[in-house]
Amino acid sequence: MDAKDILLGLPKPTTTPTPHGHQLLPLPADKKSRPPKESQRKPDGISREVYALTGGLAPLMPSVDVNHLKRRAQSENEKITWQWLPFTSSARKDNLQLYHWVRVVNGVPPSGDYSFAKYNKSVDVIKYTDDEYEKHLTDPMWTKEETDELFDLCERFDLRFIVIADRFPTSRTVEELKSRYYSVCRAILIARAPAPGDIAGHPLVKDAYNISQDVERKRALSMVLSQTKQQERRDAEVLAEAKRISEARKAAKGTDELEVPAMTDTVPDDNDGAAAAVDSLSPSPNAQFTSGAIAPPVSEIASTLASLRMMRVYLRTHALEQMVQAASSSAGLRTIKRVEQTLQDLGVNLKPKVPTKAVCAEHLELRKEILTLLNLQKQLQYKEAEGSSYRDGLYAETPGTPPKRVQRAVEQDRTFVPDSFSFGGERMGKRDQKRKAPGRLLEGPPSPAQSKRPRKFKASDG
Amino acid sequence: MPQNLQGECQPDGTNESTPKIQRIKITRPSEDSEKKIAVKRVKDVEVSVPIVYGTIAFWLGRKASETLSHKWTVYVRGATNEDLGVVIKRAVFQLHPSFNNPVRVVESPPFEISECGWGEFEIAISLFFHNDVCDKQLDLYHHLKLYSEEDSGPQSTKKPVVVETYNEIVFPEPPADFLARVQNHPAVVVPRLPATLSLPPAPVQEVHESGRGDTKDHTLSPWFVNFSEADELLKLAAARQQFLHDRCKLTL
């Protein structure tokens, strides 16, 4: 007796379950009124309970046309019963009788073999006579008993060699068993064949089992599969490098082709050789910035020297060009231009007029010194910029890390200093001055950072 | 069949700590697929041959015509005018295609070609060395200049346009035979040989039938430029000092 009901004009709902079971009446709490004839109609094709699962409302679009549903063929004219009947299977050697449900049509049970019997396949394992064994199959490594046992197991286990290896009385590897089995089969085949030509096409005769190759293949496979992701990446990198190098070499030498180490399945072995070749010819890609300023040119220079030595004859100017290129390999175009500008300002020819060995060496050294100093300048500016930005804002937030980074870089800077100053001979003054600059940056930081600084700093600390 | 000289093979790149090991390496030249003879080379001894190559061009003056205005000579000479014939077997000068027989081969020193013409072009010079020196050729390029760069006053038949380039031919690992032959020759710069090094006996020197191969008294020798290494060295050393001095001050 709800006001809503009266207003909506619904028939009086019963909220209490009646003794007859509950009625399919909508509850009054619903927002919308349901069509009143809903409870009287039962939709066709699906039972009432299932229909109720949908919430009592028919879907807007019929998802499945009722007429499309399968209709049991001849469900009217036949009488179908299900019976619990015994059966036998041709796949079984014993006469075991089992029972199962059978669909009986008009009192007639189905005929025919057990439907799964056809899946009972097995391998035809060759059977040899003792005579044949004596004649063709004797082997120093295998006794007759062992061979017989092997064949028996093969028959039982359908050539599942892993299982056979497990069951084999003496310990033999899977590959050994396979090898013995296949060689026996092959020998028998050849012995029994009326003419050799008949079986020449047989796969066992054409490609005999090669035990060493199989062992090697499995070893290589397991190595490849057990490689870590990092190793995989490194291998891919090395292969790419080797490919690039071999292509570059081919382009350089024209018809004189060098052989790239053959990439076989045994990838790890070949990678050692390729890696060695790669390392000697190209700089390591993992160099950091500050040490990177030195490392690539050094290896470039070394490789240039090596390649020059490989040439039987060359011009001094050519050698100088190569060395200059190698030394400036890490520098950008602008830096190189600045080096050249500096040389000109000093009154030095960009290409020496009298390129003797000594002159070229001096020239190269001068270029390297200019390059080094330009790099240093750049780094110093960079660090100072960093330092000032840290001092201003970010400093307060992460006091630990920034000063450490600055100081580590500055320490590396210091390694450059002795080299360039030894020539000028004005050592101490400059070194102290250089220290002061970074020292200023590190004034504020908390003690953990400071304690990590080497005691060399003592002079400017106090 | 390659000759195997036993007991003297040394792998590359090893540090010599025991002085009695001879530093002679046996290599098989990989490019020579035809002659598989092992060449005995001397490691760590760099032989260089200072050369000067270039052109000298004279204006023909009254005798000049449209097509033949200059007489010029292209040459390769020793930097100190010594005989290059000890090292160079022949020189091939590749002239402009408009010349008759533009490929000029000179089989004996002095290695030079004289011609008349009107145009400037690039000359390719290929140097071929004696068999015991090197089987690879060396290529040089030089641009022939007929007209001088300075304010072109009237050209003079007396004053030629000279363009010379100094360079050095470097043999990083010279064959032992070659080294033995030239170790005392003025045209070749040989560093101090290590005391342990023993070279094969030098073959008898051939005397050039056509006279001397050096260019000391060459007709054009008055025009030869004197390339002094000392000047450049001094300048470089001074530059290095000055550079560091200035730059360091500026940096700090």
Side-chain angles (χ1 to χ4, degrees):
Chain A
M1 283 296 236
D2 223 24
K4 212 166 48 163
D5 296 332
I6 298 168
L7 284 170
L8 294 173
L10 276 176
K12 212 159 73 162
T14 52
T15 49
T16 56
T18 65
H20 312 291
H22 51 234
Q23 299 165 323
L24 264 178
L25 287 175
L27 296 174
D30 296 327
K31 319 135 217 158
K32 264 178 104 163
S33 63
R34 305 275 179 98
K37 36 187 200 154
E38 193 247 289
S39 53
Q40 287 111 12
R41 267 186 56 116
K42 177 184 81 107
D44 296 330
I46 50 178
S47 63
R48 194 162 29 134
E49 276 79 16
V50 173
Y51 188 74
L53 283 175
T54 62
L57 274 175
L60 291 173
M61 283 284 295
S63 51
V64 157
D65 193 1
V66 173
N67 295 327
H68 290 160
L69 288 171
K70 268 196 294 197
R71 310 197 112 253
R72 294 285 246 150
Q74 303 156 340
S75 46
E76 287 83 33
N77 32 356
E78 289 176 345
K79 207 164 72 116
I80 308 288
T81 54
W82 285 88
Q83 291 179 13
W84 182 252
L85 295 175
F87 71 96
T88 55
S89 166
S90 61
R92 295 199 70 92
K93 299 291 181 301
D94 49 15
N95 292 325
L96 177 66
Q97 223 186 41
L98 296 172
Y99 291 80
H100 63 188
W101 284 107
V102 178
R103 184 168 177 268
V104 177
V105 185
N106 289 343
V108 179
S111 58
D113 195 8
Y114 180 52
S115 59
F116 295 106
K118 60 182 183 277
Y119 299 116
N120 187 37
K121 301 256 196 240
S122 65
V123 181
D124 294 326
V125 171
I126 281 186
K127 296 226 175 344
Y128 51 82
T129 63
D130 289 345
D131 211 23
E132 280 178 322
Y133 187 90
E134 296 300 317
K135 267 200 267 186
H136 313 285
L137 306 175
T138 52
D139 186 296
M141 305 268 291
W142 285 79
T143 65
K144 186 163 190 307
E145 288 80 27
E146 275 193 309
T147 314
D148 289 346
E149 178 72 25
L150 169 65
F151 271 76
D152 179 53
L153 286 174
C154 286
E155 171 105 34
R156 276 170 61 193
F157 294 117
D158 296 329
L159 291 190
R160 294 187 167 93
F161 282 102
I162 311 272
V163 181
I164 295 170
D166 250 2
R167 297 280 172 131
F168 207 69
T170 56
S171 66
R172 295 266 192 178
T173 66
V174 173
E175 289 85 20
E176 282 177 18
L177 295 172
K178 275 196 189 176
S179 164
R180 179 61 177 154
Y181 173 78
Y182 287 124
S183 54
V184 164
C185 289
R186 190 164 186 270
I188 292 278
L189 259 181
I190 295 174
R192 289 183 186 169
D198 290 347
I199 46 152
H202 195 280
L204 207 50
V205 174
K206 256 200 312 186
D207 316 300
Y209 180 75
N210 183 345
I211 183 169
S212 52
Q213 189 188 42
D214 205 28
V215 168
E216 197 50 35
R217 177 183 67 86
K218 288 187 180 170
R219 186 184 77 83
L221 194 60
S222 72
M223 279 187 108
V224 171
L225 286 174
S226 54
Q227 272 188 338
T228 64
K229 203 168 225 170
Q230 200 191 25
Q231 255 182 315
E232 262 181 40
R233 267 191 287 123
R234 273 199 289 135
D235 286 346
E237 276 176 33
V238 168
L239 284 173
E241 276 283 355
K243 199 168 153 215
R244 263 192 284 137
I245 289 174
S246 71
E247 277 173 16
R249 277 192 192 164
K250 264 194 221 170
K253 294 232 167 173
T255 51
D256 297 326
E257 275 193 17
L258 291 173
E259 273 191 294
V260 171
M263 297 296 164
T264 65
D265 284 347
T266 58
V267 163
D269 295 329
D270 286 320
N271 274 341
D272 297 337
V278 164
D279 284 339
S280 64
L281 285 175
S282 67
S284 153
N286 299 324
Q288 293 178 342
F289 171 65
T290 44
S291 57
I294 296 282
V298 164
S299 58
E300 283 285 326
I301 288 173
S303 78
T304 312
L305 278 172
S307 69
L308 281 175
R309 229 175 302 145
M310 291 284 284
M311 298 176 65
R312 292 298 163 74
V313 60
Y314 55 85
L315 283 171
R316 185 77 67 192
T317 47
H318 171 76
L320 181 62
E321 270 170 45
Q322 298 285 311
M323 297 295 285
V324 166
Q325 213 175 30
S328 342
S329 61
S330 61
L333 190 56
R334 204 166 359 133
T335 322
I336 297 177
K337 286 271 178 280
R338 285 172 71 192
V339 170
E340 293 185 347
Q341 183 63 46
T342 317
L343 282 170
Q344 281 179 333
D345 293 340
L346 290 165
V348 170
N349 303 314
L350 286 179
K351 293 199 173 174
K353 280 277 178 306
V354 190
T356 65
K357 190 169 174 137
V359 166
C360 288
E362 286 282 316
H363 187 97
L364 190 64
E365 282 312 304
L366 181 56
R367 270 193 188 246
K368 288 205 287 205
E369 279 165 9
I370 298 176
L371 197 62
T372 309
L373 260 142
L374 286 180
N375 277 337
L376 270 181
Q377 267 187 309
K378 214 178 4 172
Q379 280 178 33
L380 194 56
Q381 285 172 4
Y382 190 58
K383 298 298 175 227
E384 279 191 334
E386 267 188 23
S388 61
S389 69
Y390 286 135
R391 237 182 305 149
D392 293 338
L394 317 169
Y395 207 77
E397 295 166 23
T398 53
T401 5
K404 256 205 297 194
R405 239 193 291 138
V406 172
Q407 122 206 333
R408 216 195 312 133
V410 166
E411 275 173 31
Q412 277 170 327
D413 285 356
R414 209 171 308 115
T415 59
F416 297 1
V417 171
D419 287 338
S420 40
F421 286 132
S422 59
F423 192 90
E426 303 169 88
R427 267 173 228 174
M428 284 323 291
K430 298 235 164 72
R431 219 180 264 157
D432 281 347
Q433 276 188 311
K434 197 145 177 75
R435 275 196 218 141
K436 270 215 188 96
R440 234 182 293 126
L441 293 169
L442 298 166
E443 250 150 46
S447 33
Q450 235 175 14
S451 64
K452 293 206 179 118
R453 273 159 57 178
R455 293 330 291 161
K456 282 194 263 175
F457 259 111
K458 226 166 182 194
S460 52
D461 273 1
Chain B
M1 285 282 283
Q3 297 169 326
N4 249 330
L5 294 156
Q6 295 199 341
E8 290 176 305
C9 286
Q10 199 75 28
D12 274 13
T14 51
N15 270 331
E16 322 275 1
S17 50
T18 45
K20 58 183 167 93
I21 298 174
Q22 292 188 333
R23 297 208 240 143
I24 296 193
K25 175 178 79 156
I26 298 175
T27 59
R28 196 167 304 156
S30 54
E31 303 89 18
D32 304 345
S33 45
E34 294 90 25
K35 35 172 188 158
K36 302 222 171 157
I37 316 166
V39 176
K40 250 167 56 169
R41 293 184 172 272
V42 183
K43 269 177 60 180
D44 302 334
V45 174
E46 187 183 87
V47 165
S48 59
V49 183
I51 56 166
V52 174
Y53 59 94
T55 52
I56 297 185
F58 287 91
W59 184 50
L60 287 174
R62 282 181 300 127
K63 296 193 212 136
S65 67
E66 280 288 325
T67 50
L68 294 175
S69 59
H70 288 76
K71 172 165 133 51
W72 50 266
T73 310
V74 60
Y75 56 88
V76 180
R77 64 174 175 92
T80 45
N81 292 315
E82 297 294 343
D83 181 9
L84 289 179
V86 276
V87 181
I88 301 180
K89 184 161 68 173
R90 71 169 172 275
V92 176
F93 297 86
Q94 181 98 24
L95 307 180
H96 194 267
S98 60
F99 280 90
N100 262 339
N101 303 323
V103 182
R104 306 283 172 93
V105 182
V106 183
E107 300 277 358
S108 66
F111 300 103
E112 62 183 42
I113 294 287
S114 296
E115 262 292 348
C116 296
W118 57 268
E120 301 183 339
F121 57 91
E122 186 177 77
I123 306 174
I125 310 171
S126 302
L127 299 176
F128 294 83
F129 306 101
H130 288 293
N131 295 335
D132 64 344
V133 177
C134 179
D135 42 19
K136 272 202 180 153
Q137 70 188 69
L138 191 62
D139 297 320
L140 311 165
Y141 299 91
H142 182 85
H143 186 83
L144 167 67
K145 258 174 80 60
L146 303 177
Y147 303 96
S148 116
E149 260 162 15
E150 305 137 5
D151 319 318
S152 48
Q155 293 181 74
S156 149
T157 52
K158 302 271 168 47
K159 200 154 164 277
V161 175
V162 180
V163 183
E164 283 194 328
T165 313
Y166 175 97
N167 216 319
E168 295 187 347
I169 308 176
V170 181
F171 300 96
E173 283 180 359
D177 291 337
F178 169 49
L179 189 57
R181 188 159 62 82
V182 300
Q183 59 180 318
N184 292 318
H185 196 281
V188 180
V189 175
V190 177
R192 263 265 293 270
L193 297 176
T196 53
L197 185 61
S198 76
L199 293 170
V204 178
Q205 295 280 2
E206 296 172 3
V207 180
H208 294 287
E209 298 90 29
S210 54
R212 296 150 51 187
D214 66 78
T215 46
K216 294 204 175 104
D217 291 330
H218 198 275
T219 27
L220 294 172
S221 56
W223 307 112
F224 290 164
V225 175
N226 191 14
F227 290 93
S228 156
E229 158 188 62
D231 288 340
E232 193 132 26
L233 261 182
L234 275 175
K235 200 151 58 148
L236 275 170
R240 280 177 78 180
Q241 265 228 318
Q242 187 191 358
F243 167 65
L244 289 171
H245 191 267
D246 293 345
R247 269 311 164 102
C248 296
K249 274 225 187 114
L250 277 172
T251 316
L252 306 167

